[in-house]
Amino acid sequence: MTTETAPRNPLAALAFGPRRPLLTAAVFLVTLGCGIAQLAHRPLYDAVVRDPTHIDNGQWYRLVTGMFFQDGWTSGLVSNLILLAIFGAVAERVFGRWRWAILYFVCGWFGQLMSYLWLNPVGAGNSMCVAGLIGGLAILILMAPIKYGVTPPLQLRIAAFAVPVLAVVDTAISDNHGLPCLLGMLLGYFLLPNPELKG
């Protein structure tokens, strides 16, 4: 198979999913709704945040609700929604919806779990979910020349190479985004769409 550079849109040759990012939009709206509810009724956050004291007492649902509420409040909500809109739409376009859902929710839950067990016990946010999508996109870009015969632009390849390095450094400094990103790369490798599915 001849390797060729991707056209105007760097990932156009790797677009195996639907044109409309409806799943990204749905998760965006749910996360936005949770964020608005949290801002309107501040005690709600205390009932859903990832908190080891309550989780140890059996409130395991907090490992899920922690993916929809934000410990950064307004600034965290805005920044995380922007990241979700950007990386979510791209990931849904190239991976499709069910692969997107696996990357987003499995990596996000894994990040919540590892934060509870080790890195950052108290908190909330969907940024670890997005980190999983970023990991999946990184492995897709790195594998594109081999699996799809497409060489993405140099800037994208450099960014993709930087993702695992930054994820390891992130984990080493006890931040909780590196591990879900690395899991996203691992899952992304096994979830890479088949070239025959395009179209």
Side-chain angles (χ1 to χ4, degrees), residues 59-133:
Q59 296 182 10
W60 291 94
Y61 67 85
R62 291 172 180 266
L63 294 176
V64 176
T65 55
M67 292 189 286
F68 294 94
F69 295 84
Q70 313 295 331
D71 56 20
W73 296 88
T74 302
S75 61
L77 177 64
V78 171
S79 60
N80 285 343
L81 285 178
I82 290 173
L83 291 174
L84 171 58
I86 295 170
F87 291 105
V90 174
E92 188 171 348
R93 185 72 179 100
V94 298
F95 277 103
R97 290 181 182 137
W98 70 267
R99 294 179 178 86
W100 187 102
I102 291 174
L103 287 170
Y104 190 85
F105 291 109
V106 172
C107 293
W109 185 84
F110 176 73
Q112 296 290 331
L113 178 64
M114 295 308 297
S115 296
Y116 157 65
L117 293 174
W118 174 31
L119 289 168
N120 190 5
V122 179
N126 68 310
S127 56
M128 291 185 287
C129 303
V130 176
L133 296 179

Side-chain angles (χ1 to χ4, degrees), residues 19-198:
R19 292 185 178 276
R20 296 181 179 179
L22 298 181
L23 181 56
T24 298
V27 174
F28 182 100
L29 291 174
V30 170
T31 306
L32 174 62
C34 291
I36 292 173
Q38 169 188 339
L39 295 173
H41 184 64
R42 294 181 75 87
L44 174 62
Y45 177 77
D46 295 326
V48 298
V49 64
R50 181 184 69 249
D51 186 321
T53 301
H54 295 294
I55 295 173
D56 290 343
N57 288 329
Q59 296 182 10
W60 291 94
Y61 67 85
R62 291 172 180 266
L63 294 176
V64 176
T65 55
M67 292 189 286
F68 294 94
F69 295 84
Q70 313 295 331
D71 56 20
W73 296 88
T74 302
S75 61
L77 177 64
V78 171
S79 60
N80 285 343
L81 285 178
I82 290 173
L83 291 174
L84 171 58
I86 295 170
F87 291 105
V90 174
E92 188 171 348
R93 185 72 179 100
V94 298
F95 277 103
R97 290 181 182 137
W98 70 267
R99 294 179 178 86
W100 187 102
I102 291 174
L103 287 170
Y104 190 85
F105 291 109
V106 172
C107 293
W109 185 84
F110 176 73
Q112 296 290 331
L113 178 64
M114 295 308 297
S115 296
Y116 157 65
L117 293 174
W118 174 31
L119 289 168
N120 190 5
V122 179
N126 68 310
S127 56
M128 291 185 287
C129 303
V130 176
L133 296 179
I134 292 172
L137 288 170
I139 197 66
L140 180 132
I141 290 168
L142 293 175
M143 293 297 297
I146 300 171
K147 189 172 179 70
Y148 306 112
V150 173
T151 302
L154 179 61
Q155 301 93 317
L156 278 182
R157 284 178 283 145
I158 292 174
F161 275 114
V163 165
V165 176
L166 294 175
V168 170
V169 171
D170 185 82
T171 304
I173 62 175
S174 298
D175 190 72
N176 54 356
H177 294 84
L179 289 178
C181 184
L182 292 172
L183 179 61
M185 293 190 72
L186 178 63
L187 290 177
Y189 177 81
F190 292 104
L191 292 172
L192 289 173
N194 294 321
E196 295 78 12
L197 295 178
K198 188 170 183 183

